[in-house]
Amino acid sequence: MTIRVMLVDDQELLRTGFRMILQSQGDIEITAEAGDGAQALERLRHTEVDVILMDVRMPRLDGVQATRRICLAEDGSPLPGAPHVLILTTFDLDEYAFAALKAGASGFLLKDVPPTELVAAIRAVHGGDAVVAPTTTRRMIDRFAEVLPTPHNAPGSDTLGPLTEREREVFLLVAQGLSNGEIAARLVLSEATVKTHVGRILAKLSLRDRVQAVVLAYEAGLIRAGASD
């Protein structure tokens, strides 16, 4: 299956470098490019895209706003069938990258990412995974949550209402950054069972991946800034 990729960055030289790397892969096709978020939204109206490499600091419409329009409906719920967004950042801890995760991005990459990691990340998000470890996401949350505005539709105390008691246990461990193997050991379950639970949790809570689970848990007050994993 060919992965259709859009490159969104106001630096043409950077887009050229990414294009050269990705076009050498037999399963990746560059179907569109854009110099800012507004142009990306326009291109998406006429082009089928699976994964978007999105810069954050761009003129006209930045990557955070563009990501929100691509990934989320007006009520803040995930848009079904939306492309997966990978945010491109200059620094490991970037408040813009965290804001983009809250806006629906599936992860972030440093702009100087090695080619093999870039390709692996695109394949990972296309397959439904997130490319940022939940522990890294929590580290970003701990640093930036206090200075970022909370959306008016932030989840309340009934966030986990649709989940069974076991699924709540699994959700909280996912939010703490534990892998499926670690959760399995903690709860004395098989990894396959944990994987099934995680899939059901994401579906019931309308989350796209584990990164979104961490963000949701933080906003609902289920984990606290500075809390140990």
Side-chain angles (χ1 to χ4, degrees):
M1 179 181 295
T2 299
I3 304 172
R4 299 164 297 189
V5 174
M6 173 187 279
L7 305 176
V8 184
D9 197 295
D10 59 341
Q11 299 182 45
E12 185 176 356
L13 185 61
L14 192 63
R15 296 202 311 269
T16 300
F18 283 144
R19 187 191 320 120
M20 292 176 63
I21 292 170
L22 298 177
Q23 284 183 333
S24 66
Q25 305 298 313
D27 60 339
I28 295 177
E29 177 186 1
I30 307 300
T31 57
E33 294 187 30
D36 56 53
Q39 191 175 58
L41 293 174
E42 176 63 28
R43 296 280 164 83
L44 281 174
R45 296 176 183 173
H46 311 289
T47 309
E48 294 292 331
V49 175
D50 300 310
V51 177
I52 301 173
L53 292 184
M54 178 83 73
D55 188 20
V56 285
R57 307 185 191 196
M58 297 180 292
R60 290 209 299 168
L61 188 70
D62 66 33
V64 176
Q65 297 178 67
T67 297
R68 185 175 293 110
R69 296 189 190 183
I70 291 168
C71 297
L72 302 180
E74 290 186 4
D75 63 358
S77 62
L79 282 173
H84 295 280
V85 176
L86 276 172
I87 295 297
L88 298 172
T89 69
T90 304
F91 304 103
D92 186 21
L93 285 179
D94 187 330
E95 65 271 25
Y96 290 94
F98 170 60
L101 291 179
K102 292 182 66 175
S106 294
F108 69 93
L109 295 170
L110 297 180
K111 286 193 173 183
D112 60 354
V113 61
T116 54
E117 292 185 20
L118 172 65
V119 172
I122 290 172
R123 290 171 178 157
V125 297
H126 182 253
D129 293 329
V131 300
V132 184
T135 49
T136 302
T137 307
R138 282 203 56 199
R139 183 161 53 92
M140 296 177 71
I141 289 172
D142 290 347
R143 177 166 176 176
F144 297 119
E146 292 184 1
V147 300
L148 290 171
T150 300
H152 68 278
N153 59 346
S157 59
D158 61 345
T159 299
L160 306 187
L163 305 185
T164 66
E165 183 175 349
R166 174 62 85 184
E167 288 169 348
R168 289 178 181 228
E169 289 182 282
V170 173
F171 175 84
L172 292 176
L173 294 176
V174 168
Q176 292 172 30
L178 274 66
S179 67
N180 285 354
E182 291 168 333
I183 295 173
R186 181 80 63 91
L187 299 180
V188 194
L189 300 170
S190 70
E191 282 196 49
T193 298
V194 172
K195 184 176 181 180
T196 298
H197 281 313
V198 171
R200 289 174 178 169
I201 290 166
L202 297 181
K204 287 183 177 182
L205 299 182
S206 298
L207 302 172
R208 298 185 70 179
D209 52 46
R210 299 168 79 101
V211 168
Q212 296 300 304
V214 178
V215 174
L216 176 68
Y218 186 92
E219 292 185 332
L222 300 174
I223 56 176
R224 294 176 292 106
S228 58
D229 290 336

